[in-house]
Amino acid sequence: EPEVTQTPSHQVTQMGQEVILRCVPISNHLYFYWYRQILGQKVEFLVSFYNNEISEKSEIFDDQFSVERPDGSNFTLKIRSTKLEDSAMYFCASSEGGASGGPRDTQYFGPGTRLTVL
Amino acid sequence: KQEVTQIPAALSVPEGENLVLNCSFTDSAIYNLQWFRQDPGKGLTSLLLIQSSQREQTSGRLNASLDKSSGRSTLYIAASQPGDSATYLCAVRPESGAGSYQLTFGKGTKLSVIP
């Protein structure tokens, strides 16, 4: 069964460094998302991406974050200058797209990348 | 702003028992509701998705119901097994407008099934 994959599974970085988290969504999906989960907290939406542009972003997704689909298979989240509070599990998700043209379907999540900022 | 609450936060049951997990949401203008399973340190596995026009969905031993007008959903697990031990999350998607692409999650119910 197709699945969303993410690399690396764990990333350790120093505060102020840039990190890139990588995701390969399910191949026929059109909508891509990043969420994060701080330890012990709820899963929170960061950004959605469709047709090579951001569809929506939350208040968390400020100027230090960016997303990109550099080729036909990868979807990346870049954090420009990491802070201690960026330590979290980051989940990538994708959905197929409904008949109406919107992302009206089940979102499938990857296994996550645990980011630790020291 | 949508708020999703799950009660109880944790639940421990003996193997074989039937159980119900609860999810409530403050804004009834939802498009769908999705139940997920999360194992420790792992990703989210989608279990069931209920459209706002549906009352329930079933998959194997799992049955999810939705009462949109009262802002409630339940996940019923029949004949629980130790392998069902995990955290169960519910998440809602709004009907339309700003935020319609994103899921809003509850904090989850941590289920332990004792052999």
Side-chain angles (χ1 to χ4, degrees), chain B residues 57-98:
Chain B
Q57 280 285 335
T58 298
S59 176
R61 295 183 293 108
L62 305 180
N63 176 277
S65 68
L66 175 64
D67 184 343
K68 180 183 169 182
S69 60
S70 68
R72 293 178 184 175
S73 177
T74 61
L75 179 67
Y76 174 83
I77 303 177
S80 58
Q81 303 170 358
D84 295 331
S85 298
T87 297
Y88 291 80
L89 306 176
C90 76
V92 298
R93 182 197 288 281
E95 260 179 3
S96 60

Side-chain angles (χ1 to χ4, degrees), chain B residues 28-41:
Chain B
S28 62
I30 66 166
Y31 191 86
N32 59 38
L33 182 147
Q34 202 166 341
W35 282 94
F36 293 89
R37 169 186 172 135
Q38 183 175 29
D39 293 283

Side-chain angles (χ1 to χ4, degrees), chain B residues 22-48:
Chain B
N22 297 292
C23 171
S24 61
F25 44 94
T26 55
D27 185 350
S28 62
I30 66 166
Y31 191 86
N32 59 38
L33 182 147
Q34 202 166 341
W35 282 94
F36 293 89
R37 169 186 172 135
Q38 183 175 29
D39 293 283
K42 304 289 186 181
L44 308 179
T45 301
S46 179
L47 299 173
L48 290 163

